[in-house]
């Protein structure tokens, strides 16, 4: 069995509109201690992350504590919404969950995000079979992964976890078949 712990980042500084460099707030930095505590007894073999700073910083304290290097995988990044910041995020999200092909010019659809993240996950599953893995992730990216394996996870469930930061979801795989999903509100 392969256990994959997706860790949705802690609270970021929304005043920084640059996805790549958006850092954690002081509370986010404090909250990552809960991530470290949760993961310490899980016998983790490898740590991966989106290349976005908030995801890296959320799993970095844990990786340092167990002396593992964080391997960055660009395809685990969050969805690109548009080339500009949008103010009505809730309306936009609803449209995307109603239509997995909907996107703004210069952005990605949820279908594209899901495909990109699942392909990256499948590569990790092939190279790290029968291991325990941590992946630093994002709310929308992680939600599309949950939806892939559990289609009942939709817009309502996304809104329920939207403000849960950090948030951990454990996927249990037998080869490439997902046989279990557990959600942890730490």
């Amino acid at each position: 069995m392969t256990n994959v712990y997706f860790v949705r980042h802690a609270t970021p500084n929304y005043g920084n509109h640059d996805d790549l460099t958006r850092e954690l707030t002081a509370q986010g930095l404090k909250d990552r201690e809960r991530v470290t505590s949760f993961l310490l007894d899980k016998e983790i073999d490898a740590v991966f992350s989106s290349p976005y700073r908030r995801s890296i910083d959320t799993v970095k304290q844990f990786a340092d504590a167990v002396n593992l290097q964080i391997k960055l995988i660009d395809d685990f990044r969050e969805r690109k919404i548009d080339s500009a910041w949008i103010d009505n995020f809730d309306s936009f999200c609803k449209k995307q969950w109603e239509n997995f092909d909907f996107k703004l010019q210069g952005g990605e659809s949820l279908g594209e995000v899901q495909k990109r993240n699942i392909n990256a996950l499948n590569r990790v599953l092939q190279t790290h079979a029968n291991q325990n893995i941590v992946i630093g992730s994002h709310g929308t990216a992680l939600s599309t992964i949950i939806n892939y394996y559990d289609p009942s996870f939709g817009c309502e469930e996304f809104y329920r976890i939207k403000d849960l930061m950090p948030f951990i979801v454990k996927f249990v795989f037998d080869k490439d078949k997902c046989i279990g999903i557990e959600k942890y509100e730490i």
Side-chain angles (χ1 to χ4, degrees):
M1 297 297 155
T2 305
N3 296 302
V4 180
Y5 295 88
F6 275 93
V7 179
R8 194 248 180 120
H9 62 77
T11 307
N13 171 15
Y14 289 111
N16 178 352
H17 293 179
D18 180 52
D19 245 356
L20 187 61
T21 64
R22 185 173 306 130
E23 68 281 3
L24 297 178
T25 62
Q27 184 63 48
L29 290 170
K30 184 177 177 184
D31 288 345
R32 69 184 180 171
E33 293 173 15
R34 295 193 333 252
V35 171
T36 299
S37 294
F38 177 87
L39 295 171
L40 275 175
D41 67 347
K42 305 299 187 276
E43 300 181 18
I44 301 300
D45 299 293
V47 180
F48 297 90
S49 180
S50 151
Y52 292 2
R53 182 174 174 190
R54 60 193 181 274
S55 290
I56 296 167
D57 287 351
T58 300
V59 297
K60 183 175 180 1
Q61 183 184 60
F62 166 74
D64 289 348
V66 295
N67 201 30
L68 289 172
Q69 181 180 0
I70 299 171
K71 300 167 190 157
L72 303 182
I73 297 181
D74 188 57
D75 282 345
F76 283 134
R77 70 190 180 277
E78 181 61 298
R79 148 196 64 184
K80 181 168 176 52
I81 294 175
D82 198 351
S83 54
W85 185 262
I86 63 167
D87 291 322
N88 195 342
F89 183 73
D90 286 344
S91 173
F92 167 74
C93 284
K94 188 172 192 261
K95 287 179 186 175
Q96 283 210 303
W97 279 99
E98 289 171 350
N99 176 0
F100 258 44
D101 294 323
F102 176 80
K103 62 183 176 181
L104 299 176
Q105 186 173 350
E108 288 180 289
S109 70
L110 292 184
E112 291 168 329
V113 173
Q114 183 181 67
K115 181 178 179 181
R116 172 172 48 75
N117 275 268
I118 293 296
N119 286 340
L121 175 57
N122 284 334
R123 289 190 301 272
V124 168
L125 291 172
Q126 289 173 357
T127 58
H128 291 78
N130 300 312
Q131 293 186 355
N132 297 318
I133 300 159
V134 167
I135 301 174
S137 187
H138 304 272
T140 302
L142 177 53
S143 293
T144 67
I145 294 167
I146 297 169
N147 170 268
Y148 182 83
Y149 295 109
D150 176 8
S152 71
F153 186 98
C155 189
E156 284 183 35
E157 292 75 21
F158 171 76
Y159 279 119
R160 194 183 74 68
I161 68 157
K162 189 176 120 206
D163 296 322
L164 286 177
M165 293 178 256
F167 174 60
I168 298 176
V169 180
K170 175 185 175 186
F171 293 83
V172 180
F173 290 92
D174 182 1
K175 296 184 175 72
D176 63 349
K177 182 180 180 192
C178 181
I179 60 171
I181 300 173
E182 299 173 36
K183 300 173 187 93
Y184 301 93
E185 297 179 24
I186 57 166

